[in-house]
Amino acid sequence: MDTKETVLDILATLTGEDWHHALDDDLFASGMLDSMDTVQLLLELQDQLGVTVPVSEFDRSEWNTPNKIIAKAQA
């Protein structure tokens, strides 16, 4: 599975929604992710993709859409 599909699967698990057609929707503004979900997202990204982001350095504006998360995970 590629990075995009892995990220979208993680988001689907966390939110119960399919994000394939909403890649630029704001996950936080829509209420789909909260602070607890953010921690879980970061843990899953680390476990599944090896992406390490300390919670203290997490900036929502850089991780607020599926496309931004995918881009960060591929960096």
Side-chain angles (χ1 to χ4, degrees):
M1 187 179 310
D2 68 3
T3 301
K4 178 180 178 179
E5 288 304 314
T6 300
V7 169
L8 293 175
D9 282 351
I10 293 168
L11 290 173
T13 299
L14 290 174
T15 66
E17 300 287 330
D18 178 2
W19 294 96
H20 285 88
H21 301 290
L23 295 171
D24 292 312
D25 285 6
D26 190 314
L27 298 162
F28 299 104
S30 66
M32 296 306 293
L33 290 182
D34 60 20
S35 58
M36 292 298 290
D37 295 322
T38 300
V39 172
Q40 188 63 38
L41 171 65
L42 295 177
L43 290 172
E44 291 297 326
L45 289 173
Q46 182 174 359
D47 287 347
Q48 295 186 39
L49 296 171
V51 176
T52 303
V53 180
V55 175
S56 61
E57 295 178 20
F58 182 83
D59 180 351
R60 277 188 179 189
S61 67
E62 295 178 7
W63 295 81
N64 63 337
T65 70
N67 268 335
K68 288 181 182 179
I69 296 168
I70 292 163
K72 290 281 194 180
Q74 292 175 331

